[in-house]
Amino acid sequence: NHSKKAILTLLYEHKDQFLSGQKISELIGCSRTAVWKHIKTLTEEGFKIESVQKKGYKLMDAPDGLNEVSVSAGLQTKTLGRKICFYESMGSTQKEALRLADEGAADGTVVLTNEQTNGRGRLGHTWQSYRGTNIAMSLILRPDLPIEKTPQLTLLTAVAAADTIENETGLSCGIKWPNDILFDGKKLVGILTELQAEATYVKAVIIGIGFNVNTESSAFPEPIKSVAASLRSITGKQYELASFVQSFLAKFEFLYELYLHNGFKSIRPLWEQRALNLGKQIKVRQPGGRILEGFARGINDDGVLLLEKADGTPVRVYSADIEWE
Ligand code: BTX
């Protein structure tokens, strides 16, 4: 199985060229017969591999969705995603990432799946995923940060997600505080940040991201249909999930390094440029059901939303759902 994975990685890394059986067997350290057998298995799994006498093997096409090597082959990051835990199907990448973090998983570990059956949203909400057409992943980070700064990472993630969408599709999305990426009022991405902490010190931050990429709008059930969209439902195009994940990880790592070196002041203006609900009259539904109304002044350097009530009282909002006209 290890050799099969290594062969698939080589094929991905040499996508547009033939690789001879001899070369593969040398690089992997197994016999040419073993190479041939693994190629046969891969073909049975749905990979289209062209095989030409004297030239060797070339990867032509892969089954829909992600697989265990499609993201790691050719990934341009230093730390993030250097270890990827891939599952064909699972309940929630977030739950698994929390478990792995607890067991000591390294900074930058990414949990990724092709099908998430029990996705979690914020405040007890659920997150819908569709096999092979959207992305569900969780990042395990171990920053040296005080707990009160961690909401900034949610905002950073939102910027990374919106920038990735813009680079990959040309769509310019807005961000609804704290974490929704919207296009025409519909949600394309969900972000969930969770912590493992001890007293005031952060052991791990787990960032879960769900991207609606190739999902057809008819796949969204009511009532999600009215609030959700996918990139494909907007542009009519299909996107390659693996390269989408790769560019997100690269963008995230770039912003994360900037943040660790220069602090939130380097991220805040990027977030504010995309913010949809600043300078507006909004309704804030807090966990527990309390509703506040007021004017959204902006965010502070901690990423906290600053609300001003009708009587002028300032309120800091740490976690809530937001509505506006
Ligand atoms: P949220 O609470 O802000 O949003 C959840 C709400 O969004 C739901 O109540 C529903 O109305 C709507 N919704 C559900 N599914 C979708 C969808 N696919 N597209 C658009 N809207 C939807 C957002 O929570 C945080 C979601 C994080 C999801 C990731 S996926 C990888 C990781 N694993 C995991 O279990 N969760 C995270």
Side-chain angles (χ1 to χ4, degrees), residues 42-261:
L42 288 168
T43 311
E44 285 159 8
E45 288 173 7
F47 291 92
K48 287 211 174 60
I49 300 166
E50 197 177 324
S51 155
V52 175
Q53 280 246 320
K54 299 224 172 74
K55 282 182 157 177
Y57 304 104
K58 181 165 137 184
L59 181 61
M60 308 298 289
D61 204 5
D64 278 352
L66 299 163
N67 62 61
E68 58 178 346
V69 312
S70 56
V71 171
S72 37
L75 181 66
Q76 305 279 329
T77 57
K78 287 177 239 161
T79 314
L80 192 60
R82 285 291 123 202
K83 174 148 181 57
I84 295 181
C85 302
F86 174 80
Y87 303 81
E88 185 50 42
S89 174
M90 72 195 310
S92 157
T93 59
Q94 197 69 2
K95 225 175 134 198
E96 177 65 1
L98 283 160
R99 192 187 69 76
L100 291 171
D102 214 29
E103 284 183 354
D107 177 43
T109 303
V110 172
V111 180
L112 185 64
T113 188
N114 216 14
E115 178 183 49
Q116 181 168 261
T117 54
N118 197 11
R120 309 205 309 220
R122 295 177 315 133
L123 315 169
H125 301 152
T126 57
W127 182 258
Q128 299 289 330
S129 293
Y130 306 92
R131 187 178 186 289
T133 65
N134 60 3
I135 295 166
M137 70 181 153
S138 296
L139 319 179
I140 301 176
L141 303 174
R142 298 192 181 275
D144 185 9
L145 274 186
I147 291 178
E148 67 272 15
K149 297 236 188 261
T150 52
Q152 298 173 342
L153 291 174
T154 302
L155 305 184
L156 183 155
T157 308
V159 173
D163 283 3
T164 304
I165 289 176
E166 186 144 356
N167 291 341
E168 296 295 305
T169 69
L171 295 177
S172 179
C173 298
I175 305 174
K176 174 180 151 186
W177 186 90
N179 66 347
D180 285 349
I181 309 293
L182 304 182
F183 186 87
D184 255 355
K186 290 195 168 176
K187 192 142 128 187
L188 287 165
V189 182
I191 298 164
L192 172 66
T193 308
E194 293 177 296
L195 288 185
Q196 281 177 344
E198 226 165 61
T200 58
Y201 131 88
V202 174
K203 284 163 61 184
V205 181
I206 316 294
I207 300 182
I209 308 123
F211 280 96
N212 299 329
V213 182
N214 293 326
T215 316
E216 292 194 54
S217 24
S218 58
F220 292 115
E222 287 296 352
I224 288 171
K225 205 177 196 141
S226 49
V227 297
S230 75
L231 296 172
R232 180 183 174 185
S233 71
I234 298 165
T235 66
K237 291 190 188 139
Q238 287 258 90
Y239 300 93
E240 225 235 296
L241 296 184
S243 54
F244 200 94
V245 175
Q246 289 175 337
S247 41
F248 172 75
L249 294 176
K251 180 50 106 179
F252 185 97
E253 187 175 82
F254 172 80
L255 293 170
Y256 186 59
E257 283 186 349
L258 196 67
Y259 169 77
L260 292 180
H261 288 123

